[in-house]
Amino acid sequence: MFSPRARSAAVSAPVPFYEKVKQAISHKISAGEWRPHDRIPSEAELVAQFGFSRMTINRALRELTDEGWLVRLQGVGTFVAEPKGQSALFEIRSIADEIAARRHRHHCEVLTLEKTDASVQLATALGVEEGTSIFHSVIIHFENDIPVQIEDRCVNAAVAPDYLQQDFSRTTPHAYLSLVAPLTEGEHIVEAVRATPEERALLQIEEGEPCLLINRRTWSTQHIVSFARLLFPGSRYRLQGHFMS
């Protein structure tokens, strides 16, 4: 049993500063003061507003992003996320956010960013007619200067018409698409594969090293947004899921 003094101390324990920031921001969103897709104040503005350190503000924003309240686009800003229903889908996160959560450094190299015509296979994957103009990007993602993913993505141009105008050296396709076409459904097909010689060179791996391939399609309402082929060196990636009933 706790003594009255111990119970009083527990009740009056101070709330961490980052939790106070999280509570204030989530209250504004819940109350409708900040609506989906609204840009919220910058880290510097929040530092001035709350009087807390930048590290405190950054932690609050990072946790609110992980919890689905916010979407952060590097070099662009932080926005209120579209509300999401509870589901048993795999959580789909930006690889940049995954790397940041490990407190590691992310950067990427854009190899291809183009408009092309959908082949029969890609038209089927995106739910469009063969020959429809679509967008195609190939990006190499690095964790602490080590290549960890080849992202080969095709995008439905009708859903994200400004895709080619984005600077994907400063944000990620996932983060941008989550903002303009919020995810409502996702599909993963996971398999073990051997990389091609070109892929091995890009990932800096030896011949024979197994790789993990995730073929991912995402939907926003009734539209297929993108089809992505995500290739990881098997030694540098672990697929993890968390489910709730």
Side-chain angles (χ1 to χ4, degrees):
M1 294 287 293
F2 287 112
S3 68
R5 180 177 297 176
R7 286 198 299 270
S8 175
V11 170
S12 61
V15 176
F17 291 154
Y18 73 89
E19 284 290 351
K20 291 183 178 181
V21 177
K22 287 177 63 179
Q23 291 170 7
I25 292 175
S26 60
H27 175 75
K28 286 180 179 290
I29 296 172
S30 298
E33 186 174 342
W34 290 349
R35 302 181 62 80
H37 307 299
D38 283 352
R39 183 174 181 170
I40 75 166
S42 67
E43 283 191 12
E45 290 168 333
L46 291 172
V47 167
Q49 177 181 332
F50 287 98
F52 299 147
S53 70
R54 189 155 194 151
M55 183 180 299
T56 296
I57 299 298
N58 181 270
R59 176 171 178 176
L61 296 180
R62 187 172 69 247
E63 292 195 4
L64 287 169
T65 300
D66 291 342
E67 293 166 12
W69 291 91
L70 302 174
V71 174
R72 306 186 75 186
L73 299 183
Q74 184 178 1
V76 179
T78 302
F79 301 83
V80 177
E82 186 81 16
K84 297 178 183 177
Q86 296 298 316
S87 70
L89 292 174
F90 277 114
E91 181 184 11
I92 297 179
R93 299 177 62 192
S94 163
I95 188 170
D97 290 339
E98 292 181 6
I99 291 171
R102 293 191 286 270
R103 300 185 182 278
H104 291 174
R105 186 178 69 259
H106 167 267
H107 81 273
C108 66
E109 294 180 7
V110 180
L111 303 183
T112 302
L113 187 59
E114 64 182 2
K115 181 165 69 173
T116 187
D117 295 333
S119 64
V120 174
Q121 180 183 7
L122 292 176
T124 301
L126 290 173
V128 299
E129 296 291 332
E130 181 185 356
T132 300
S133 291
I134 62 173
F135 300 140
H136 176 226
S137 59
V138 180
I139 298 173
I140 311 299
H141 295 276
F142 295 79
E143 181 169 356
N144 293 342
D145 298 325
I146 297 173
V148 293
Q149 184 195 88
I150 299 174
E151 173 189 339
D152 189 337
R153 185 183 296 268
C154 292
V155 175
N156 186 335
V159 177
D162 296 328
Y163 187 79
L164 298 184
Q165 280 66 60
Q166 307 311 305
D167 182 358
F168 291 124
S169 67
R170 299 177 61 85
T171 186
T172 64
H174 171 81
Y176 170 70
L177 293 172
S178 295
L179 181 64
V180 300
L183 174 71
T184 58
E185 184 178 350
E187 173 188 82
H188 277 155
I189 299 174
V190 184
E191 56 185 320
V193 299
R194 292 187 181 275
T196 66
E198 180 184 7
E199 290 168 339
R200 291 200 304 270
L202 292 173
L203 291 172
Q204 299 173 21
I205 59 175
E206 298 295 329
E207 183 176 1
E209 178 172 344
C211 290
L212 182 69
L213 174 64
I214 299 178
N215 288 307
R216 174 186 295 169
R217 285 199 298 172
T218 56
W219 282 257
S220 185
T221 62
Q222 74 272 28
H223 300 291
I224 299 174
V225 177
S226 77
F227 170 71
R229 183 179 184 274
L230 310 174
L231 185 69
F232 306 81
S235 61
R236 301 176 196 161
Y237 187 77
R238 179 180 67 182
L239 183 63
Q240 179 175 336
H242 180 77
F243 303 90
M244 295 182 66
S245 59

